[in-house]
């Protein structure tokens, strides 16, 4: 039972985002530009759904000029718009022109790479220019740092109530202009800009409700205090820093630093309810107590990166002085950390510290915590190139997704975890501990089996990790992940993966080293499985396997384990023969296999009493024998002898209770059904019946879709079909007729009579 079931609207919007090619089509405009439109001309999304779809595309990194074309005003309505560059390329003016057709009241466009803030504002329609109430352009840029660049754009937005220009090149003159001309401005965020004098804010003293000055380097602290005293209606004030502000020449920070002055003299700001002094060390708890006494409305206090958060009144719920009515950011308790994650997702240093302390907490958590993941994900996403953030984030995501906690999480959260984990792997390929964190997260049955993500990309990242690091645990996890993913990706992708020569070299080297010590540990098992899955229906991978001397190695492996413990020998032989079967399916490689040493080895394994081994050996024989006598190369083992052995082997089998093998398709059997030798046909139809009987839901429909049923019908109707072959064919056709859940009667086969 998932702890956080997904809402139906979320599911529908996710489906649209993930199936754009099926639901939409490209359309050429009169301006000879391409845009995406819905195939159904009757589609119209009301405002809530329109904004939900836009936000989802933004969150999934799928927002670009083409997808933005979906939001025509005749099919959608946008009032609150959030924009961010997608993974496939940044937004440009071409795509953003769509904004002109909507009446937008709130616009958030953070960190656009190719469009400056002036150009963005130029893409807005007349109604929007006159009515826009909120503008957030954090991490962007105004064409250049000249006065004109700020004035021209922002001065047109006279209705603005909220403006966020943090982390931009917004300058002193721009502050003077907006404070003088924007008569409705109530909320202003100047964080991390070049502003060093907030004197112009006095123009807003009657209206200003919120002022954020995180990481500002103010030249005159006394002047700041005078400005704040004038802003009598201020409710939120942020004067936090990443680190303690360096004192200016001739001034002592303990006396003149803004936070100290505010706390000591702060009997003004009567309506203050939120104060952030994070990163401001040197403040005494006595000062804070006095300040809070004269400001009873304060319900939030930012104390991250300070010692103050350790005080019992902010940390210890059992303390008599605990201030339960105040939300606090910091690193001293789970509540503080969660609040920090919620408020500081765009601050790298803050996220690093919060995640570092969160890691210790998550180690002891027993219940799934989607609430923490929901806050952790934006922080990790906002700092993809910050190693310390990614190191801590990947460690926390592992703790939050492992074991029972992960099993109870909704797949949407696990999918997000995988996406961010893969991004971290890609950005820091040579950082061993981060890669290990990622492997620990990905090496999960729940994730690998049930979560939908880009498995090919993941497998490639893991293979790169396998080739880079030598730590045994990382090798073990890498081959385990690859062995599972290789069975779940399309054949064209396994070919791209398996035909990479360095990947093949590494996998074969692992097999060689394990075989030399006759080890059959989990690493050996998964490596053999990975090679088996990578060569399945992939001739190019089979070619690389042979070119890297894989055949001689595998023959040596069979020899090395012939006298070892029975279960280990069976495990190795089954996986080795499974791969050799893949080679035998490739027509142009059969002459490489039809040599004396190989044929003698396969004949010996064909006659083993273990059906798992005999089955795969028989498959190899069937494929080699399908070449016909004129192509047969082996002299020590004549083709008729192998055919006779093949018939005897199949006749001696009883259908096992469980499925022995999985196939991507029935393609390998089609050629065998056309062979005139009944022994070859017998193995093919026995194998087809086996998988259809043991996993009918998958294979019965596959057999019909791939045309196998038609071939079986022709065999059933042919006068030349051997009776035993026809008997199994009839059994398969009966299963197809009655449905995959109807078990057929299993009868022993009589010896073939040629």
């Amino acid at each position: 039972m998932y702890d956080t079931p997904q809402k139906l609207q979320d599911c529908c919007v996710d489906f649209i985002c993930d199936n754009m090619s099926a639901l939409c089509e490209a359309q050429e405009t009169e301006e000879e530009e391409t845009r995406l439109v819905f195939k159904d001309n009757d589609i119209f999304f009301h405002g809530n759904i329109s904004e939900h779809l836009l936000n989802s595309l933004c969150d999934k990194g799928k927002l670009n000029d083409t997808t933005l074309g979906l939001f025509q005003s005749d099919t959608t309505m946008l009032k609150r718009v959030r924009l961010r560059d997608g993974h496939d390329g940044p937004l440009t003016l071409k795509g953003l022109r769509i904004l002109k057709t909507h009446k937008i009241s709130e616009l958030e466009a953070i960190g656009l790479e190719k469009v400056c803030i002036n150009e963005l504002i130029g893409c807005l329609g007349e109604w929007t220019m006159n009515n826009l109430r909120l503008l957030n352009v954090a991490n962007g840029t105004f064409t250049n740092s000249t006065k004109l660049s700020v004035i021209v754009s922002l001065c047109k937005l006279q209705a603005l109530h909220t403006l966020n220009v943090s982390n931009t090149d917004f300058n002193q003159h721009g502050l003077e202009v907006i404070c003088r001309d924007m008569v409705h401005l109530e909320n202003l965020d100047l964080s991390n800009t070049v502003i060093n004098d907030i004197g112009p804010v006095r123009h807003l003293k009657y209206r200003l409700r919120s002022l954020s000055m995180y990481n500002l380097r103010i030249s005159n602290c006394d002047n700041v205090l005078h400005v704040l005293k004038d802003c009598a209606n201020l409710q939120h004030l942020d004067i936090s820093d990443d680190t303690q502000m360096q004192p200016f020449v001739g001034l002592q920070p303990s006396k003149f630093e803004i936070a100290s002055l505010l706390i000591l003299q702060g009997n003004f700001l009567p309506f203050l309810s939120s104060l952030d002094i994070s990163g401001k060390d040197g403040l005494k708890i006595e000062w804070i107590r006095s300040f809070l006494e004269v400001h009873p409305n304060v319900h939030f206090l930012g104390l991250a990166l300070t010692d103050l958060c350790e005080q019992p009144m902010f940390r210890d719920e059992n303390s008599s002085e605990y201030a339960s009515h105040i939300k606090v950011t910091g690193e001293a308790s789970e509540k503080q950390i969660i609040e920090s994650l919620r408020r500081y997702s765009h601050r790298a240093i803050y996220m690093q510290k919060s995640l570092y302390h969160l890691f210790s907490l998550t180690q002891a958590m027993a219940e799934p915590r989607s609430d923490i993941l929901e806050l952790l994900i934006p922080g990790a996403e906002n700092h993809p190139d910050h190693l310390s953030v990614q190191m801590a984030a990947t460690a926390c995501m592992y703790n939050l997704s492992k074991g029972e906690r992960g099993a109870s999480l909704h797949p949407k959260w696990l999918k997000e975890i995988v996406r961010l984990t893969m991004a971290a792997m890609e950005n820091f390929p040579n950082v061993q501990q981060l890669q290990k964190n990622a492997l620990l997260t990905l090496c999960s049955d729940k994730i690998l089996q049930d979560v939908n993500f880009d498995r090919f990309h993941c497998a490639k990242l893991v293979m790169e990790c396998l080739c880079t690091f030598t730590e045994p645990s990382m090798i073990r996890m890498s081959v385990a992940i690859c062995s599972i993913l290789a069975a779940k990706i399309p054949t064209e992708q396994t070919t791209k993966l398996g035909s990479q020569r360095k990947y093949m070299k590494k996998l074969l080297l692992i097999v060689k080293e394990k075989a030399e010590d006759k080890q059959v540990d989990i690493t050996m098992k998964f490596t053999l499985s990975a090679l088996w899955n990578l060569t399945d229906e992939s001739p190019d991978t089979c070619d690389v396997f042979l070119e890297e001397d894989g055949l001689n190695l595998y023959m040596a492996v069979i020899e090395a384990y012939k006298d070892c413990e029975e279960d280990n020998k069976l495990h190795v032989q089954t996986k080795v023969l499974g791969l050799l079967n893949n080679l035998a399916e490739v027509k142009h490689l059969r002459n490489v296999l039809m040599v004396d040493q190989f044929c003698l080895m396969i004949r010996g394994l064909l006659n083993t009493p273990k059906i798992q081994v005999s089955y795969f050996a028989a498959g190899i024989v069937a494929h080699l024998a399908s070449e016909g006598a004129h192509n047969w190369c082996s002299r020590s083992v004549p083709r008729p002898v192998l055919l006779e052995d093949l018939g005897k082997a199949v006749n001696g089998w009883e259908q096992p209770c469980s499925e022995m093998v999985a196939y991507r398709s029935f393609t390998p059997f089609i050629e065998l059904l056309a062979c005139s030798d009944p022994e070859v046909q017998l193995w093919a139809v026995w194998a087809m019946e086996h998988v259809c009987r043991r996993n009918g839901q998958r294979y019965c429909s596959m057999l019909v879709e791939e045309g196998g049923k038609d071939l079986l019908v022709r065999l059933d109707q042919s006068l030349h079909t051997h009776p035993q072959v026809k008997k199994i064919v009839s059994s398969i056709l009966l299963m197809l007729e009655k449905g995959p859940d109807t078990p057929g009667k299993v009868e022993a086969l009589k010896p073939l009579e040629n």
Side-chain angles (χ1 to χ4, degrees):
M1 187 73 178
Y2 298 130
D3 70 318
T4 50
Q6 198 169 11
K7 296 178 181 177
L8 179 59
Q9 180 172 311
D10 293 342
C11 293
C12 294
V13 171
D14 280 347
F15 180 83
I16 295 172
C17 293
D18 295 338
N19 295 274
M20 303 285 278
S21 58
L23 301 173
C24 310
E25 60 186 4
Q27 185 182 82
E28 294 294 327
T29 66
E30 294 180 357
E31 294 80 16
E32 297 184 352
E33 296 177 349
T34 302
R35 69 180 184 187
L36 213 58
V37 297
F38 290 106
K39 291 180 180 179
D40 187 341
N41 295 327
D42 295 328
I43 282 181
F44 178 81
F45 291 161
H46 63 69
N48 184 30
I49 300 293
S50 300
E51 291 164 8
H52 191 165
L53 178 60
L54 180 65
N55 288 336
S56 294
L57 289 171
C58 190
D59 291 338
K60 292 173 181 287
K62 294 184 177 182
L63 202 60
N64 53 45
D65 288 347
T66 303
T67 55
L68 203 53
L70 285 173
F71 297 91
Q72 300 292 323
S73 58
D74 56 349
T75 56
T76 60
M77 291 178 60
L78 296 175
K79 290 185 178 180
R80 293 173 294 274
V81 174
R82 184 161 64 92
L83 304 173
R84 182 178 293 180
D85 289 335
H87 299 323
D88 296 331
L91 293 166
T92 70
L93 287 175
K94 182 176 68 174
L96 291 172
R97 293 193 190 106
I98 198 75
L99 300 178
K100 199 175 287 287
T101 64
H102 291 277
K103 296 180 178 180
I104 301 169
S105 59
E106 298 180 10
L107 175 59
E108 178 182 298
I110 297 178
L112 297 187
E113 182 182 332
K114 293 293 185 180
V115 179
C116 72
I117 297 166
N118 287 329
E119 293 171 329
L120 173 69
I121 294 173
C123 291
L124 304 178
E126 183 178 355
W127 188 96
T128 301
M129 297 288 286
N130 293 329
N131 294 276
L132 189 69
R133 293 174 58 86
L134 181 150
L135 178 65
N136 181 352
V137 289
N139 302 332
T141 180
F142 295 88
T143 305
N144 52 52
S145 59
T146 63
K147 299 175 183 179
L148 183 63
S149 68
V150 177
I151 297 171
V152 169
S153 57
L154 291 180
C155 285
K156 298 178 181 179
L157 306 175
Q158 291 292 308
L160 275 185
H161 283 63
T162 300
L163 176 63
N164 184 341
V165 290
S166 61
N167 257 347
T168 69
D169 50 358
F170 187 79
N171 59 26
Q172 194 68 41
H173 185 76
L175 179 63
E176 294 171 2
V177 171
I178 64 165
C179 290
R180 185 184 66 238
D181 294 350
M182 290 188 171
V183 296
H184 299 291
L185 199 60
E186 296 179 350
N187 309 296
L188 180 59
D189 192 338
L190 305 171
S191 300
N192 226 23
T193 62
V194 296
I195 301 298
N196 59 16
D197 178 8
I198 65 165
V201 172
R202 278 197 174 93
H203 293 291
L204 306 173
K205 61 183 179 181
Y206 299 118
R207 299 187 300 274
L208 200 62
R209 301 291 186 271
S210 172
L211 178 61
S212 295
M213 301 187 292
Y214 160 68
N215 247 14
L216 284 196
R217 293 297 182 256
I218 302 297
S219 58
N220 189 328
C221 296
D222 287 320
N223 184 49
V224 171
L225 212 60
H226 292 311
V227 172
L228 294 178
K229 286 179 179 179
D230 286 345
C231 298
N233 293 313
L234 201 65
Q235 298 173 13
H236 167 74
L237 177 62
D238 182 352
I239 52 174
S240 59
D241 279 306
D242 275 348
T243 55
Q244 182 177 338
M245 182 182 292
Q246 295 298 315
F248 289 91
V249 177
L251 300 179
Q252 296 300 318
S254 60
K255 184 177 180 181
F256 296 101
E257 208 276 328
I258 298 175
S260 301
L261 290 172
L262 175 67
I263 298 298
L264 288 171
Q265 304 178 31
N267 55 352
F268 48 93
L269 299 179
F271 302 109
L272 192 69
S273 61
S274 169
L275 175 65
D276 201 330
I277 51 175
S278 297
K280 301 289 190 179
D281 273 332
L283 301 176
K284 297 180 180 181
I285 186 62
E286 293 80 12
W287 302 352
I288 302 296
R289 286 197 185 98
S290 300
F291 182 84
L292 293 176
E293 286 177 2
V294 296
H295 293 86
N297 295 324
V298 170
H299 63 257
F300 168 73
L301 198 55
L303 300 177
L305 307 185
T306 73
D307 295 333
L308 289 170
C309 68
E310 298 280 356
Q311 293 293 325
M313 72 177 298
F314 303 126
R315 173 183 59 84
D316 187 358
E317 296 184 24
N318 297 318
S319 172
S320 59
E321 61 176 346
Y322 180 65
S324 59
H325 65 289
I326 301 179
K327 291 184 177 180
V328 176
T329 58
E331 301 80 40
S333 69
E334 181 179 317
K335 281 188 175 181
Q336 290 181 9
I337 292 171
I338 288 176
E339 196 64 31
S340 294
L341 292 174
R342 177 179 291 113
R343 292 177 181 266
Y344 303 138
S345 65
H346 288 283
R347 301 185 184 183
I349 301 299
Y350 284 59
M351 287 303 302
Q352 173 191 340
K353 295 293 185 181
S354 297
L355 293 172
Y356 175 80
H357 290 277
L358 176 65
F359 172 72
S360 299
L361 295 177
T362 56
Q363 289 181 304
M365 289 178 179
E367 300 298 322
R369 296 296 301 270
S370 57
D371 60 323
I372 292 179
L373 278 171
E374 189 171 9
L375 299 174
L376 184 157
I377 286 170
E381 193 171 39
N382 290 337
H383 309 283
D385 301 321
H386 197 289
L387 176 58
S388 296
V389 170
Q390 295 303 316
M391 187 78 79
T394 52
C396 290
M397 287 189 290
Y398 166 62
N399 280 345
L400 291 167
S401 64
K402 68 180 180 181
E404 292 300 318
R405 276 169 283 178
S408 300
L409 280 174
H410 194 282
K412 71 173 183 178
W413 295 117
L414 295 175
K415 183 177 180 179
E416 286 295 285
I417 287 172
V418 173
R419 178 177 65 85
L420 291 170
T421 298
M422 288 168 56
M425 292 181 76
E426 194 161 27
N427 288 336
F428 301 98
N430 299 313
V431 180
Q432 181 167 336
Q433 187 57 54
L434 184 141
Q435 294 289 323
K436 188 173 183 178
N437 292 348
L439 294 177
L440 285 165
T441 300
L442 296 172
C443 201
S444 154
D445 284 339
K446 175 71 175 178
I447 286 176
L448 296 175
Q449 302 290 351
D450 298 343
V451 179
N452 182 26
F453 58 95
D454 189 341
R455 292 186 171 94
F456 171 67
H457 186 50
C458 181
K460 191 169 182 180
L461 290 170
V462 172
M463 287 299 295
E464 288 293 332
C465 184
L466 177 66
C467 293
T468 303
F469 303 102
T470 58
E471 182 182 312
S473 65
M474 295 181 70
I475 292 175
R476 181 180 68 250
M477 289 187 288
S478 295
V479 294
I481 295 166
C482 287
S483 68
I484 295 171
L485 293 181
K488 292 182 171 294
I489 58 179
T491 52
E492 61 268 19
Q493 292 183 345
T494 59
T495 297
K496 289 179 181 178
L497 200 64
S499 58
Q500 286 278 337
R501 199 167 296 274
K502 71 173 181 177
Y503 299 163
M504 182 63 69
K505 283 178 180 288
K506 182 64 177 182
L507 292 170
L508 293 177
L509 178 61
I510 295 171
V511 172
K512 182 175 183 293
E513 291 174 346
K514 295 294 182 182
E516 287 174 349
D517 297 331
K518 295 188 178 179
Q519 294 185 46
V520 191
D521 58 10
I522 194 70
T523 300
M524 177 64 157
K525 292 177 181 179
F526 276 125
T527 305
L528 291 174
S529 294
L531 284 162
W532 184 4
N533 290 331
L534 287 171
T535 53
D536 190 14
E537 295 193 29
S538 178
D540 289 348
T541 305
C542 292
D543 284 336
V544 176
F545 175 86
L546 290 174
E547 290 165 7
E548 294 299 326
D549 204 26
L551 180 58
N552 287 329
L553 172 61
Y554 266 42
M555 291 175 66
V557 168
I558 292 288
E559 180 67 22
Y561 288 93
K562 68 178 181 180
D563 297 324
C564 72
E565 191 268 327
E566 194 64 30
D567 286 346
N568 285 341
K569 179 172 72 173
L570 179 62
H571 203 103
V572 170
Q573 287 179 341
T574 301
K575 295 181 181 296
V576 167
L577 290 173
L579 182 144
L580 296 176
N581 213 323
N582 291 340
L583 298 181
E585 291 173 3
V586 182
K587 188 175 180 65
H588 72 268
L589 298 181
R590 290 172 187 160
N591 65 318
V592 178
L593 304 180
M594 289 189 295
V595 294
D596 291 347
Q597 185 181 1
F598 184 80
C599 290
L600 285 168
M601 181 191 75
I602 293 301
R603 186 186 182 195
L605 295 169
L606 176 63
N607 295 316
T608 183
K610 297 291 185 181
I611 186 173
Q612 298 97 319
V613 175
S614 181
Y615 173 83
F616 289 109
I620 295 169
V621 170
H623 286 290
L624 296 184
S626 69
E627 282 297 294
H630 61 286
N631 287 332
W632 192 256
C633 302
S634 178
R635 297 178 181 177
S636 298
V637 187
R639 181 174 179 273
V641 172
L642 269 183
L643 284 172
E644 182 180 354
D645 287 347
L646 175 60
K648 289 179 180 179
V650 180
N651 282 321
W653 297 340
E654 292 184 0
Q655 281 280 355
C657 297
S658 59
E659 188 180 354
M660 289 191 301
V661 65
Y663 291 105
R664 293 177 184 270
S665 72
F666 284 103
T667 301
F669 302 100
I670 302 302
E671 179 188 32
L672 300 184
L673 294 180
C675 181
S676 60
D677 295 289
E679 296 89 351
V680 174
Q681 292 181 336
L682 180 65
W683 180 84
V685 295
W686 193 98
M688 295 167 78
E689 185 194 33
H690 167 67
V691 293
C692 287
R693 190 179 302 282
R694 299 303 167 208
N695 191 351
Q697 291 289 346
R698 175 183 180 184
Y699 289 106
C700 286
S701 58
M702 182 191 295
L703 186 58
V704 173
E705 291 169 3
E706 295 180 357
K709 180 181 178 182
D710 296 336
L711 291 173
L712 293 174
V713 168
R714 288 201 289 271
L715 276 176
D716 189 48
Q717 295 174 349
S718 173
L719 298 177
H720 302 291
T721 303
H722 193 282
Q724 287 180 227
V725 175
K726 183 174 290 190
K727 184 176 182 179
I728 299 178
V729 168
S730 299
S731 174
I732 299 172
L733 292 173
L734 184 62
M735 275 193 289
L736 296 180
E737 181 181 342
K738 291 185 176 181
D741 294 327
T742 305
K745 184 179 179 181
V746 179
E747 298 185 24
L749 299 175
K750 298 178 181 179
L752 280 168
E753 297 174 358
N754 293 316

